[in-house]
């Protein structure tokens, strides 16, 4: 791991060594998970009788039913894409992440021929009117990369615009996560609904999978205890009580983990956007103290077994 701040306002991180880094398209991950599920367990258009688990993203309808506050917008415009190389890219399997002034660039290999890259930069007034025009956003993106090495610029230039994705980042602030109730009765949320975060850690999908494991374990434990008791699961009210208890434990178990994700997102935001060198140094100190000096410290976590 290498992390330094130089007089040119450059923060650079290169991750190599013992860390195992794998990058894949979200579509491929979703398809792999879908194919692993028995098809009789996948149903559409069914009425909800007991439990509702919302995993419908940052603009969640379920979140509104729980009266959760809307995620906040960061003043950061995130651009992501894939670049394919017919004859191979020749890059090592490592994460390269560089911040120069207020522009954040990183890339990670997926295969020998494909690279995933991302850029974060402050939002410009013209972004909103151009977000549906990839060619115009590409021009703004390349303008922001002028201070970066040519190989970084070339990676973006060779991107297929069909894989080009741009959005303003949303997040839940650490102080919001302290007090928000993420369940009501037998309704709760997982994934981005619960802990929308910046893409700085690359843990959006990973944290959602953690949620699912913890939630399934909490519910399964209640159901196992219920079947051992006299009379089994019993009446509807008893089942509802047990589900409510499982959801309460799930939220309690995930809360500190969510706050840690959010805090790291907030620190990364300060490193990227804040113009004050004093605040950048303070953010860097917080990063090193609380996250062991590595953005991958969050991946070293065991959420237990089902």
């Amino acid at each position: 791991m290498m992390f330094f701040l130089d007089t040119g306002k450059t923060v650079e991180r290169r991750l190599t060594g013992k860390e195992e880094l794998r990058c894949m398209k979200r579509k491929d991950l979703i398809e792999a998970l879908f194919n692993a599920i028995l098809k009789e367990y996948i149903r559409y258009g069914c009425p909800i009788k007991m439990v509702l688990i919302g995993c419908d993203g940052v603009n969640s309808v379920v979140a509104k039913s729980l009266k959760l506050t809307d995620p906040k917008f960061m003043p950061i415009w995130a651009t992501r894409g894939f670049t394919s190389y017919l004859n191979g890219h020749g890059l090592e399997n490592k994460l390269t992440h560089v911040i120069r002034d207020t522009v954040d660039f990183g890339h990670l290999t997926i295969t020998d021929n494909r690279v995933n890259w991302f850029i974060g930069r402050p939002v410009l007034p013209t972004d909103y009117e151009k977000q549906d025009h990839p060619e115009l956003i590409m021009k703004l993106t390349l303008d922001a990369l002028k201070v970066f090495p040519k190989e970084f610029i070339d990676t973006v230039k060779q991107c297929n615009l069909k894989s080009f994705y741009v959005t303003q980042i949303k997040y839940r602030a650490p102080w919001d996560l302290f007090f928000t109730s993420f369940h009501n009765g037998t309704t709760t949320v997982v994934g981005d609904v619960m802990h929308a975060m910046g893409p700085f850690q690359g843990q959006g999908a990973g944290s959602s999978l953690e949620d699912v494991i913890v939630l399934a374990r909490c519910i399964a434990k209640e159901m196992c205890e219920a079947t051992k008791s006299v009379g089994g699961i019993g009446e509807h009210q008893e089942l509802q009580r047990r589900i409510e208890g499982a959801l309460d434990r799930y939220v309690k178990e995930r809360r500190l983990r969510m706050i840690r994700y959010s805090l790291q997102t907030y620190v990364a935001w300060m490193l990227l956007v804040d113009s004050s060198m004093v605040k950048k140094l303070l953010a860097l100190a917080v990063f090193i103290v609380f996250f062991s000096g590595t953005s991958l410290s969050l991946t070293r976590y065991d959420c237990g077994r089902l």
Side-chain angles (χ1 to χ4, degrees):
M1 176 65 167
M2 178 168 63
F3 201 129
F4 63 87
L5 182 69
D6 70 17
T7 55
K9 296 184 180 180
T10 298
V11 178
E12 181 168 351
R13 289 182 279 167
R14 295 180 186 271
L15 287 154
T16 55
K18 296 181 180 179
E19 302 287 358
E20 181 181 3
L21 301 175
R22 295 190 182 187
C23 181
M24 64 186 303
K25 294 176 67 175
R26 177 167 295 195
K27 178 176 178 290
D28 294 339
L29 174 60
I30 293 173
E31 287 181 352
L33 293 172
F34 177 83
N35 292 332
I37 299 174
L38 295 176
K39 298 305 177 284
E40 57 264 32
Y41 294 140
I42 301 174
R43 301 177 185 177
Y44 300 95
C46 297
I48 299 170
K49 292 185 177 180
M50 176 64 72
V51 183
L52 173 59
I53 301 170
C55 50
D56 46 341
V58 293
N59 301 313
S60 168
V61 174
V62 179
K64 289 180 172 59
S65 75
L66 289 173
K67 295 182 171 53
L68 302 185
T69 57
D70 292 334
K72 295 176 172 61
F73 277 106
M74 280 188 178
I76 296 176
W77 204 253
T79 308
R80 287 163 278 186
F82 298 98
T83 300
S84 298
Y85 298 81
L86 291 177
N87 299 317
H89 48 65
L91 299 172
E92 296 180 53
N93 181 29
K94 66 180 181 181
L95 169 66
T96 296
H97 184 196
V98 179
I99 300 174
R100 290 193 174 179
D101 295 329
T102 57
V103 181
D104 175 24
F105 177 86
H107 65 71
L108 178 62
T109 60
I110 301 176
T111 66
D112 291 338
N113 297 85
R114 175 170 285 190
V115 174
N116 170 237
W117 55 266
F118 59 88
I119 296 170
R121 60 171 175 79
V123 173
L124 301 174
T126 55
D127 285 331
Y128 300 103
E129 61 191 57
K130 295 179 179 180
Q131 61 181 327
D132 295 326
H133 303 279
E135 297 84 359
L136 299 178
I137 291 293
M138 174 63 83
K139 183 179 183 306
L140 290 175
T141 301
L142 292 174
D143 287 343
L145 287 177
K146 285 181 178 178
V147 296
F148 284 80
K150 183 178 181 299
E151 57 266 28
F152 293 176
I153 298 173
D154 289 342
T155 295
V156 176
K157 274 185 177 180
Q158 297 177 52
C159 166
N160 185 335
L161 287 182
K162 290 182 179 180
S163 74
F164 196 68
Y165 181 75
V166 61
T167 185
Q168 188 173 359
I169 295 174
K170 287 185 177 182
Y171 76 107
R172 291 197 181 277
W175 44 89
D176 288 341
L177 296 174
F178 269 110
F179 306 107
T180 299
S181 176
F182 289 99
H183 88 93
N184 182 21
T186 58
T187 299
T188 192
V189 288
V190 300
D192 285 349
V193 191
M194 181 183 260
H195 44 67
M197 68 183 82
F200 312 111
Q201 303 102 298
Q203 288 298 294
S207 60
S208 299
L209 292 174
E210 291 175 8
D211 294 340
V212 172
I213 292 172
V214 174
L215 177 59
R217 187 176 65 245
C218 290
I219 294 176
K221 183 177 180 181
E222 278 293 334
M223 295 301 97
C224 288
E225 291 179 358
T227 55
K228 293 176 184 177
S229 63
V230 177
I233 292 178
E235 300 296 328
H236 177 88
Q237 290 182 342
E238 172 65 10
L239 176 59
Q240 180 171 330
R241 184 187 68 81
R242 287 188 175 276
I243 293 295
E244 288 178 4
L247 299 189
D248 186 58
R249 283 197 299 276
Y250 154 69
V251 172
K252 287 179 179 177
E253 183 172 340
R254 294 300 292 159
R255 192 179 298 277
L256 288 179
R257 180 77 166 155
M258 291 187 294
I259 291 171
R260 193 162 185 256
Y261 275 125
S262 181
L263 180 60
Q264 189 164 350
T265 289
Y266 200 76
V267 169
W269 170 18
M270 289 179 65
L271 283 170
L272 178 61
V273 173
D274 205 296
S275 59
S276 168
M277 183 58 67
V278 173
K279 290 183 179 180
K280 283 183 181 288
L281 288 171
L282 177 61
L284 184 58
V286 171
F287 184 87
I288 292 173
V289 170
F290 286 96
F291 304 108
S292 304
T294 169
S295 61
L296 290 188
S297 62
L298 281 173
T299 67
R300 303 190 189 105
Y301 175 77
D302 184 357
C303 59
R305 288 178 166 273
L306 289 176

